[in-house]
Amino acid sequence: MTRKQHFFAFSLVLLFLLHCTNTVVAQPAAAPAPGPPGPTNVTKVLEKAGQFTLFIRLLKATSVADQIDHQLNDTNNGMTLFAPTDNAFSSLSSGTLNSLNDQEKVALIQFHVIPTYVSLSQFQTVSNPLRTNAGDSSRFEYPLNVTTFGNSVNISSGITNTSVSGTVYTDGQLAVYQVDKVLLPWDLFGAKPPAPAPAPEKPKKKKADAVADGPDGKVDDSSAMSLVTNIKNVVVFAHAIAAVIFLL
């Protein structure tokens, strides 16, 4: 075989090797299989939506955010959250939040959480008052009432009246609805109900052998003297009858 033939054969082998190398390199690596979805984080949902900075701060400061995440990932009931915007907090009277202690701030934020998933259409059939994570929903405590008109959902705490202005997030497990006012519960901001009147005292029983008192609260002397006189008359009359019987 001549030198030219050797060179030509070597060139063919080199071209073949280069082609195989390019083919291997050009093939993309297989994408990894998608893992299970991570747990829902309510603060991340609100951060992504924007305009809820103050509400997020209170959710974290009161640890209500951790409670929500725990309930979401450990129960099947779902959660519903009414999220006031930053403008909603700005419209509060000066000093409203500062007047609350830590426990009251927890109750305020829990008042915005319903421990079940409620879609917009389900608000038409819910029973009032709604029970929130704040607890007692009876009058003068933490009642939250919802009324609907068409697609409008109106909310009343007895102090605050507002409506759902938009859906921030919903996935069948967590529903977050935007509200343009902070929901103020009656127990923290309402007038306290009047205290019940004390029960009337029962009259004391008089002793059976008590002596009747006169108008001035002292024993009636005339009644006592009359009683003595009557006794003497009875004794005299008895002696007279005895004498008559003896004479007979």
Side-chain angles (χ1 to χ4, degrees):
M1 184 177 294
T2 64
R3 178 180 295 181
K4 289 184 178 180
Q5 290 175 330
H6 282 291
F7 180 77
F8 180 73
F10 177 77
S11 298
L12 289 177
V13 171
L14 182 62
L15 288 174
F16 175 77
L17 292 175
L18 289 174
H19 174 73
C20 292
T21 303
N22 291 336
T23 302
V24 172
V25 173
Q27 290 179 349
T40 304
N41 186 296
V42 67
T43 55
K44 289 184 178 180
V45 169
L46 292 171
E47 287 170 356
K48 184 177 181 181
Q51 68 176 341
F52 298 104
T53 303
L54 292 175
F55 190 50
I56 293 171
R57 187 182 306 168
L58 285 169
L59 281 168
K60 291 180 177 180
T62 58
S63 298
V64 174
D66 294 335
Q67 296 174 12
I68 294 174
D69 292 339
H70 175 76
Q71 289 179 254
L72 277 175
N73 298 304
D74 292 352
T75 67
N76 296 321
N77 295 329
M79 304 289 291
T80 300
L81 181 67
F82 295 114
T85 61
D86 291 336
N87 288 335
F89 281 98
S90 299
S91 65
L92 290 174
S93 300
S94 178
T96 298
L97 292 180
N98 291 334
S99 66
L100 303 177
N101 58 38
D102 291 343
Q103 185 176 356
E104 290 170 337
K105 288 178 181 178
V106 171
L108 173 64
I109 302 305
Q110 288 178 329
F111 190 56
H112 292 72
V113 182
I114 301 174
T116 55
Y117 174 82
V118 183
S119 66
L120 281 176
S121 61
Q122 288 174 328
F123 279 117
Q124 299 178 3
T125 57
V126 294
S127 299
N128 285 316
L130 293 177
R131 185 172 182 84
T132 69
N133 275 13
D136 192 351
S137 60
S138 60
R139 189 182 181 191
F140 302 122
E141 296 295 334
Y142 294 91
L144 190 65
N145 294 287
V146 172
T147 57
T148 59
F149 183 76
N151 293 326
S152 177
V153 178
N154 303 312
I155 308 168
S156 176
S157 69
I159 296 177
T160 304
N161 295 305
T162 187
S163 59
V164 172
S165 56
T167 300
V168 178
Y169 179 86
T170 180
D171 62 0
Q173 183 72 7
L174 171 66
V176 181
Y177 300 113
Q178 176 180 322
V179 290
D180 296 328
K181 290 184 180 180
V182 179
L183 304 178
L184 303 179
W186 191 280
D187 183 64
L188 299 180
F189 299 95
K192 302 301 180 183
E201 295 183 2
K202 295 182 179 180
K204 296 180 180 179
K205 294 182 179 181
K206 295 183 179 180
K207 294 183 179 179
D209 58 347
V211 180
D213 293 343
D216 57 354
K218 297 181 180 179
V219 176
D220 192 341
D221 293 338
S222 61
S223 297
M225 291 298 295
S226 177
L227 178 61
V228 172
T229 302
N230 290 336
I231 292 174
K232 288 181 178 180
N233 291 337
V234 170
V235 172
V236 172
F237 182 71
H239 286 170
I241 292 175
V244 171
I245 293 173
F246 179 78
L247 291 175
L248 295 175

